[in-house]
Amino acid sequence: MSLFHDLFFGFGIAFQPINLLTCFIGVFIGTLIGVLPGIGPVGAMSLLLPVTFGMSPVSGVIMLAGIFYGSMYGGSTTSILVNIPGEAASVVTCLDGYQMALKGRAGPALGIAAFGSFIAGTLGIVGLMLVANPLAEFALKFGPPEYFSLMLLGLSILIYLTQGSILRGFAMAALGVFLSLIGQDINEGIPRFTFGLRGLIDGVGLVPLVMGLFGISEVLLNLEAVAERIVVKTGVKHLLPTKEDWKRSAKPIGRGTLIGFFLGVLPGGGSIISTFISYALEKKFSKHPEEFGHGAIEGVAGPESANNAASSSGFIPLFSLGIPSNVITALLLGALMIHGLRPGPLMITEHPEVFWGTVASMYLGNIMLLVLNLPLIGIWVKVLKIPYRTLFPLILLFCLLGSYSLGANVFDIYVMLAFGLIGYVLRKLGYEAAPLVMAFVLSPLMEQSLFQALLLSDGSPTVFVTRPISLASLLIALALIVSAIVPSFQKRRKEIVTEE
């Protein structure tokens, strides 16, 4: 009964006019970002993060969450009509969605993608609602030693966040840890690693960092890329799938939802991995596997359901434990911390309006997305024709305004531009930005927990291995690190990267 009371409370928050507006803005921008290739949800959230600082915490999180799961919807439109994924999780949709469009079945492909996303997203929210609270109650047993070990586990999970070399991933994580140390020492309050620059006394800001790494570098990379976008000209008709389409898609939607939900909870880009697993599973179960890659509707329904279920379940470790499962939830973690909130077991009890308001808004957001994606297909097709030379100056303008408006500090603009160039060079050399951002966000929490744990134990490090939960987290982290050097794991990992 308490669950329904909490959900009713959440809908009271979500139906407030300002929160309804921010939810709509979030899912609309998310759909738009998903439709436009080359930006992605991380870049969009980085650009709009400063906008949320003038809002209440719940309104800001509702908008950022809407961008996240809204981009999962919009990405399918680009994949089906242009054969270019709007974001990484829509790569698999290109395989059969575009082939269906070439055969004049773009309408049913877009329709089943939208309905599958709605069903999976809604079921994923139900799972979030059922799992997050009990997990948070268990996490109330955590003290500073448990939190330190948990954060260390979060850093070790970076093995699964990197698509390429594990060593490069850890190098980026080490850079993220170093950047988080710039500023004032949390124990003594003295400046460290500021190199005599007054602008670094308060540390490197999250907003200039992510805007540079994902906004500016994305512009530079796309300006040198030659990508011809040819929109399918067969017309988009009959958006509602037929009975035969539903018959073939029902089980893939169900299986994709389960796969996406469970993999979304696990760290390391569950929405991407779950789509590949869903596609492979549907091809295995299909009575006509030869149709896959030539326009099989199951190849659209399963993966699209998987990535939307994963986007919902990714909020479970964020809200319950304060641990981001991917770079997008790491940005959400940073946004909550800037608003003065610390995600974790206490947040659900101390700030229920944020958790339950966000959960309820996700139900409303899924309904909004269904309305946005089907009737407005014609508008999204026109959006696809926007030239890059028009789009990227606007992104640069957003980056400049966002960095400066945060603290009216010109130094933040210099920081953003510097990280834009650094991000561009690193990505050209094959280094990924996601581990850096995740380590940058987690490190201050880990450092604070380390100091508190050592104070409680009079400086004895044995406190981390004498407490069961802390010891279990450390053992899991050790197992992950050891697995990274096992040849069979490395071989399988290379196979997955090659397939992607």
Side-chain angles (χ1 to χ4, degrees):
M1 194 68 182
S2 175
L3 187 65
F4 290 104
H5 177 270
D6 290 335
L7 187 60
F8 185 76
F9 168 74
F11 275 111
I13 301 293
F15 273 112
Q16 292 177 5
I18 183 63
N19 293 332
L20 272 176
L21 178 62
T22 53
C23 181
F24 176 78
I25 292 172
V27 297
F28 181 84
I29 292 175
T31 303
L32 180 64
I33 292 303
V35 168
L36 290 171
I39 302 175
V42 178
M45 290 172 68
S46 302
L47 294 174
L48 294 174
L49 191 55
V51 178
T52 66
F53 299 154
M55 306 177 182
S56 67
V58 63
S59 297
V61 174
I62 284 173
M63 191 177 85
L64 291 174
I67 295 172
F68 177 23
Y69 58 83
S71 64
M72 298 299 168
Y73 272 75
S76 61
T77 303
T78 311
S79 298
I80 292 168
L81 296 179
V82 194
N83 200 29
I84 299 175
E87 38 79 37
S90 298
V91 171
V92 181
T93 308
C94 294
L95 300 177
D96 285 282
Y98 187 66
Q99 293 300 317
M100 287 182 68
L102 292 177
K103 294 178 180 179
R105 302 202 70 223
L110 291 166
I112 205 66
F115 283 115
S117 297
F118 173 76
I119 294 168
T122 304
L123 293 176
I125 299 164
V126 172
L128 165 64
M129 186 176 64
L130 294 174
V131 175
N133 217 6
L135 186 59
E137 290 178 5
F138 168 74
L140 285 172
K141 301 176 183 178
F142 285 26
E146 285 79 10
Y147 268 111
F148 171 78
S149 301
L150 196 63
M151 297 299 166
L152 194 63
L153 173 60
L155 288 179
S156 67
I157 284 162
L158 291 169
I159 296 169
Y160 296 93
L161 264 182
T162 54
Q163 301 297 315
S165 166
I166 294 174
L167 190 60
R168 289 184 176 185
F170 275 118
M172 291 296 285
L175 179 57
V177 172
F178 170 74
L179 292 172
S180 73
L181 295 175
I182 295 175
Q184 294 185 11
D185 183 277
I186 64 170
N187 190 36
E188 299 178 357
I190 60 174
R192 59 185 182 186
F193 305 120
T194 58
F195 308 104
L197 298 174
R198 294 179 60 187
L200 292 178
I201 290 177
D202 291 328
V204 177
L206 176 65
V207 174
L209 175 76
V210 296
M211 284 184 130
L213 287 176
F214 295 103
I216 302 295
S217 67
E218 192 70 44
V219 170
L220 295 175
L221 285 170
N222 280 280
L223 284 176
E224 68 178 26
V226 180
E228 186 179 358
R229 291 180 288 175
I230 305 174
V231 181
V232 172
K233 298 180 180 179
T234 56
V236 180
K237 301 177 182 177
H238 309 297
L239 288 169
L240 295 178
T242 63
K243 288 184 179 180
E244 179 62 25
D245 291 333
W246 276 112
K247 184 179 178 181
R248 295 182 59 173
S249 302
K251 289 182 179 179
I253 289 174
R255 284 190 288 261
T257 301
L258 289 173
I259 292 168
F261 181 81
F262 288 109
L263 289 180
V265 177
L266 301 175
S271 59
I272 301 174
I273 297 172
S274 62
T275 56
F276 284 93
I277 292 178
S278 173
Y279 188 84
L281 196 64
E282 294 314 319
K283 189 173 182 180
K284 183 180 178 71
F285 280 126
S286 177
K287 295 179 181 178
H288 306 285
E290 69 281 356
E291 294 182 9
F292 278 73
H294 301 282
I297 197 167
E298 299 94 328
V300 176
E304 281 299 310
S305 301
N307 75 33
N308 281 274
S311 67
S312 299
S313 64
F315 287 90
I316 293 175
L318 174 67
F319 282 127
S320 302
L321 304 174
I323 296 291
S325 57
N326 50 54
V327 68
I328 297 175
T329 49
L331 284 176
L332 282 169
L333 174 62
L336 287 167
M337 291 170 64
I338 292 172
H339 278 288
L341 302 175
R342 180 172 176 173
L346 292 177
M347 196 192 81
I348 297 179
T349 55
E350 293 179 351
H351 302 280
E353 73 282 359
V354 175
F355 176 74
W356 290 107
T358 303
V359 169
S361 75
M362 291 169 75
Y363 282 107
L364 301 177
N366 270 277
I367 296 172
M368 292 178 184
L369 283 166
L370 193 62
V371 174
L372 285 172
N373 272 265
L374 292 179
L376 301 182
I377 286 294
I379 294 176
W380 303 131
V381 171
K382 291 180 180 178
V383 167
L384 283 169
K385 298 177 182 178
I386 296 177
Y388 281 145
R389 62 180 179 273
T390 302
L391 188 62
F392 289 137
L394 293 176
I395 295 175
L396 285 172
L397 179 62
F398 268 112
C399 289
L400 292 171
L401 291 175
S403 292
Y404 181 75
S405 62
L406 180 59
N409 189 353
V410 177
F411 186 80
D412 286 337
I413 295 179
Y414 297 145
V415 171
M416 180 199 67
L417 294 174
F419 278 110
L421 293 174
I422 291 170
Y424 170 74
V425 173
L426 288 173
R427 291 170 73 177
K428 290 286 286 184
L429 296 175
Y431 289 86
E432 301 170 59
L436 186 155
V437 174
M438 191 166 177
F440 180 81
V441 172
L442 286 179
S443 293
L445 300 174
M446 188 171 72
E447 183 184 10
Q448 184 180 8
S449 300
L450 174 63
F451 277 119
Q452 291 174 344
L454 292 175
L455 283 173
L456 289 173
S457 64
D458 294 324
S460 174
T462 57
V463 68
F464 299 110
V465 294
T466 54
R467 299 173 67 139
I469 298 176
S470 175
L471 178 61
S473 298
L474 291 174
L475 290 175
I476 295 172
L478 181 63
L480 289 174
I481 294 171
V482 170
S483 70
I485 59 176
V486 175
S488 60
F489 173 83
Q490 291 184 337
K491 181 180 178 182
R492 176 57 189 151
R493 210 169 159 282
K494 287 178 181 178
E495 290 174 359
I496 293 173
V497 173
T498 303
E499 289 169 7
E500 292 184 10

